[in-house]
Amino acid sequence: MPFLYNLLLLAASPLLLVYLTYRLVIRGKSREGLPQRLGWAPSLGPPPTAGRVWLHAVSAGEVVAAAAIARRLREADSEVEVVISTTTPAGQQQARRLLPQAAAWFYFPFDFLPCAGLALARVRPTVVATVETEIWPNWLWLARVQGIRTALVNGQFADKGFRGARKARPLYRWALGCLEALWMQTEQAAERALFLGAPADRVRVVGNVKFEQPVLQPAAEALQVVRERLGLISGDAAETEAAPDRLGHNLLFLAGSTHPGEEAQVLEAFRRVSKVIPQIRLLLVPRHIERTEEVVNAVRGEGWQVGRRSEAALGPVEVLVLDTMGELAGLYAAADVVFVGGSLVPIGGHDILQPLFFRRPTLVGPHTHNQHDLVRLARESGAVEVVSDATALGDAVIDLLSDPSRRAGMQSAGDRLLLQNTGAAQECANLLRRLAGGISRPGTEHLGVTGEVPR
């Protein structure tokens, strides 16, 4: 399989080169960190006695899980060294923010043998651990050949990705066979890993690490700027909870991580809400910051007074577009009701846990297949509501802002949900610590050998 996989990569390399050139020259993507993507990762010295763990997380969402694991790992043994790679610039920024104690941050190499081999030689890890769905065959195979321990942590296979993986089961059987342990989020994820060829004695269900993600407290300066630009009176969302009958005062609707085709629906819902609660304001956060101009023009085209977070204060606006990186998680604390995007359009949804950490009533659309199990848990617990379209979104916002008891019920449900789903980060950290310490592959007392997925 290694020979066949690399033969296919070689045959496809002209097309891949054209695609890479298109991304670099036309779209301006992948430019940042290009030498590292070619294998020139930071050159590190010999790993410490306690080991060096290379965590790979594709983007900002996966970095959140990696950071939770790294924190537990360092708490258990401060001598273990952690380095982290990402694929996207957003992931890099998130990694540097959430993992300041990391020994190195860098972009993940292309999965060509020379690139992956050079990166491994320069980083010199004792363990490589990939987060969620990042399965790169050459990287894992080379690590195994070189005696580097390997693991998948917080593993999952979303519906769309699994459909594609089913068509390449021999490739996945080889790649997953290079992993010494697969610590999965859910029973469904574990069953999918087994179906794709993961050895049964290496698969375990430990839960979702993101329940223990670091909570970024809001920056006072960011909160103040947002409030001033939106013309909100002094105070914050906590005051609204204390005096929930004061409709029209301090009420902020935050729509986070929105995508094309979704902003128009959010604006339609906002218009519906504003007819009932005239002084409500909207903080609109596109998933990709490069779409800021497009989103601002769309808001302006709907007749709203609109501003950007990065602009100098030019007076209050009705809609503020967040065009800065790294502030969304903290700004959830300022909202009275939250909509998490990527769900009114068929993207698959984004992280619903961040607003729940701040006890915000949270709404999502019907397209949450990338967060299926998490949304199901949250919905069944009463912490999150699913809306079908723009009209339903507007009605749900009005209902939540008009009904303090309903809002309080969602907050309490969110608290219970978070409390009941802890421990996965510690499980993953324990695994990595054992591997980093050179202890032999976790035995059957931990992983099970019957072919059944351990619970």
Side-chain angles (χ1 to χ4, degrees):
M1 184 54 67
F3 173 78
L4 179 59
Y5 175 65
N6 285 286
L7 182 64
L8 291 173
L9 283 181
L10 183 63
S13 57
L15 292 177
L16 294 174
L17 181 60
V18 170
Y19 175 67
L20 178 59
T21 302
Y22 167 75
R23 284 180 61 87
L24 287 169
V25 177
I26 306 299
R27 301 192 64 187
K29 294 188 175 183
S30 300
R31 292 178 184 174
E32 187 174 335
L34 182 59
Q36 294 175 351
R37 298 178 195 272
L38 294 173
W40 292 96
S43 181
L44 305 179
T49 303
R52 176 179 294 147
V53 177
W54 175 352
L55 285 168
H56 174 57
V58 61
S59 192
E62 291 77 14
V63 169
V64 163
I69 296 169
R71 185 177 70 250
R72 296 293 187 188
L73 182 59
R74 295 277 296 175
E75 287 173 357
D77 189 345
S78 61
E79 298 301 315
V80 175
E81 197 172 83
V82 175
V83 302
I84 183 165
S85 63
T86 70
T87 302
T88 69
Q92 277 291 297
Q93 294 189 22
Q94 185 84 302
R96 292 172 185 269
R97 184 164 51 251
L98 297 183
L99 286 168
Q101 75 278 16
W105 313 265
F106 53 96
Y107 284 94
F108 189 72
F110 297 129
D111 200 44
F112 287 95
L113 281 174
C115 302
L118 178 59
L120 286 167
R122 292 176 66 84
V123 176
R124 303 174 69 176
T126 52
V127 178
V128 297
T130 186
V131 179
E132 296 199 5
T133 57
E134 285 292 279
I135 308 297
W136 293 104
N138 272 333
W139 181 60
L140 294 172
W141 179 64
L142 285 174
R144 179 182 178 184
V145 167
Q146 296 173 25
I148 300 168
R149 319 308 296 275
T150 57
L152 171 67
V153 291
N154 208 45
Q156 69 163 338
F157 289 97
D159 293 348
K160 183 178 179 181
F162 181 64
R163 286 195 295 271
R166 289 169 62 104
K167 302 173 183 177
R169 284 182 68 185
L171 175 62
Y172 273 85
R173 183 180 299 110
W174 165 50
L176 296 179
C178 293
L179 291 160
E180 296 185 51
L182 296 90
W183 259 222
M184 311 302 290
Q185 294 181 21
T186 64
E187 294 182 12
Q188 182 189 63
E191 290 164 358
R192 287 178 171 182
L194 293 173
F195 176 83
L196 293 174
D201 63 331
R202 306 181 196 179
V203 178
R204 183 174 180 181
V205 178
V206 297
N208 191 337
V209 168
K210 287 184 178 179
F211 280 101
E212 301 165 73
Q213 63 183 272
V215 179
L216 290 176
Q217 294 303 317
E221 182 272 340
L223 285 174
Q224 182 63 24
V225 169
V226 167
R227 301 197 69 80
E228 288 178 355
R229 291 308 317 277
L230 290 170
L232 299 175
I233 63 175
S234 61
D236 57 22
E239 294 184 4
T240 304
E241 293 172 19
D245 57 324
R246 295 171 56 196
L247 292 184
H249 295 268
N250 275 340
L251 295 180
L252 177 61
F253 173 28
L254 191 159
S257 298
T258 59
H259 288 259
E262 202 161 38
E263 289 90 7
Q265 297 184 68
V266 170
L267 289 171
E268 181 182 340
F270 179 58
R271 189 177 300 280
R272 189 177 186 87
V273 176
S274 66
K275 291 177 180 178
V276 179
I277 309 172
Q279 294 184 37
I280 193 168
R281 297 294 180 260
L282 172 65
L283 179 59
L284 188 55
V285 188
R287 178 70 174 181
H288 300 110
I289 196 170
E290 61 268 23
R291 295 187 55 244
T292 298
E293 187 69 25
E294 170 193 339
V295 173
V296 167
N297 289 336
V299 176
R300 187 176 291 119
E302 291 292 323
W304 297 104
Q305 296 173 331
V306 60
R308 306 167 187 245
R309 157 73 175 91
S310 62
E311 291 176 335
L314 299 173
V317 295
E318 297 163 306
V319 180
L320 186 65
V321 177
L322 189 67
D323 61 345
T324 54
M325 296 291 293
E327 291 187 329
L328 172 59
L331 289 175
Y332 280 129
D336 294 278
V337 62
V338 168
F339 166 73
V340 177
S343 58
L344 280 175
V345 290
I347 297 297
H350 296 297
D351 187 4
I352 62 170
L353 291 175
Q354 289 181 339
L356 296 186
F357 285 126
F358 290 107
R359 308 188 78 239
R360 300 302 104 195
T362 301
L363 306 168
V364 296
H367 303 287
T368 56
H369 46 272
N370 289 339
Q371 309 283 327
H372 177 269
D373 293 304
L374 181 55
V375 171
R376 177 183 56 80
L377 279 176
R379 186 180 188 182
E380 290 175 353
S381 72
V384 167
E385 292 186 12
V386 178
V387 297
S388 57
D389 53 26
T391 299
L393 175 60
D395 290 344
V397 172
I398 293 170
D399 290 346
L400 283 167
L401 295 179
S402 304
D403 188 343
S405 61
R406 183 179 175 191
R407 206 158 58 243
M410 290 185 72
Q411 291 167 339
S412 297
D415 292 342
R416 289 193 299 271
L417 178 70
L418 296 174
L419 184 63
Q420 293 167 359
N421 289 274
T422 58
Q426 189 64 62
E427 289 272 9
C428 292
N430 291 343
L431 166 70
L432 297 183
R433 188 184 178 199
R434 290 198 299 270
L435 294 178
I439 301 172
S440 61
R441 183 170 64 81
T444 58
E445 72 275 15
H446 298 294
L447 301 179
V449 294
T450 64
E452 297 180 355
V453 179
R455 270 51 173 187

